[in-house]
Amino acid sequence: MSEAGLSIDPDTKVATLLDHYPELEDVLIAMAPPFKKLKNPILRKSVARVASLRQAAAVAGLSVGEVVNALRRAIGQETIEEDSTSVEVAYFGDRPEWFDPARVVHSIDERQVDPETMPLTTVMGEAKRLQPGQILVLVTNFLPAPGIDIIRKKGYRVWTVREGAELIKTYISTP
């Protein structure tokens, strides 16, 4: 039985949501293939604790309003006004002046990594080794929104580019 009282909004953490409403795991997974990773206990205990529904929606390529309102409807909460913030505006942008492909010194392809490992841990370890001006690239088949936000908060410069339907490159550099 679900614990009552949690109002679902864009800033609700995925783990908090699932702690209060475990039955919503299937609703999330049905929304988008990236949410299947919630079945991974390592991911569930780590990224899900820091990822908001806003970030999860960005990972899935869905609008945050769509995700939040589907979850609210599933538990009988009234829907909220759709958030019009675009994933494109929040995570993608024009090529920054600091980017130079010749400065890329390391690449991590998340598509080649064991799904039981946490790529963010590897990315942060490699980012700490960067010398000023050097660039690390993370290659994924989804937008790694929670990781991007964590990396930005740690003071790194980040530029994300969509190069295909399932190819996203996130460039990380020291200031």
Side-chain angles (χ1 to χ4, degrees), residues 98-110 112-113 119-131 133-140 151 157 159 168-174:
W98 57 263
F99 180 76
D100 178 354
R103 293 181 169 225
V104 174
V105 296
H106 192 67
S107 178
I108 299 170
D109 190 337
E110 186 272 341
Q112 308 293 320
V113 175
L120 183 58
T121 303
T122 304
V123 170
M124 288 308 302
E126 291 299 326
K128 287 177 185 177
R129 292 184 186 88
L130 292 173
Q131 298 299 312
Q134 290 183 329
I135 299 171
L136 164 68
V137 61
L138 172 63
V139 181
T140 58
I151 291 165
R157 300 181 292 193
W159 177 46
I168 294 177
K169 292 185 178 178
T170 302
Y171 297 95
I172 302 157
S173 179
T174 58

Side-chain angles (χ1 to χ4, degrees), residues 5-100:
L6 177 71
S7 179
I8 301 169
D9 65 47
D11 296 317
T12 300
K13 300 295 185 205
V14 173
T16 301
L17 171 84
L18 296 177
D19 287 347
H20 280 78
Y21 304 108
E23 67 274 20
L24 291 181
E25 178 181 55
D26 291 334
V27 175
L28 273 171
I29 290 170
M31 279 188 228
F35 293 154
K36 288 180 185 168
K37 292 184 177 189
L38 289 170
K39 294 283 188 188
N40 177 331
I42 296 169
L43 179 70
R44 185 73 166 263
K45 289 181 180 176
S46 56
V47 175
R49 297 257 175 246
V50 297
S52 67
L53 290 175
R54 182 181 319 279
Q55 293 165 326
V59 168
L62 302 170
S63 80
V64 68
E66 182 180 356
V67 171
V68 168
N69 284 330
L71 295 167
R72 289 177 69 90
R73 278 191 295 276
I75 60 162
Q77 291 181 3
E78 290 185 27
T79 58
I80 60 174
E81 187 174 327
E82 296 267 338
D83 185 331
S84 62
T85 304
S86 164
V87 169
E88 299 300 316
V89 170
Y91 292 98
F92 298 97
D94 295 332
R95 179 179 172 158
E97 77 344 291
W98 57 263
F99 180 76
D100 178 354

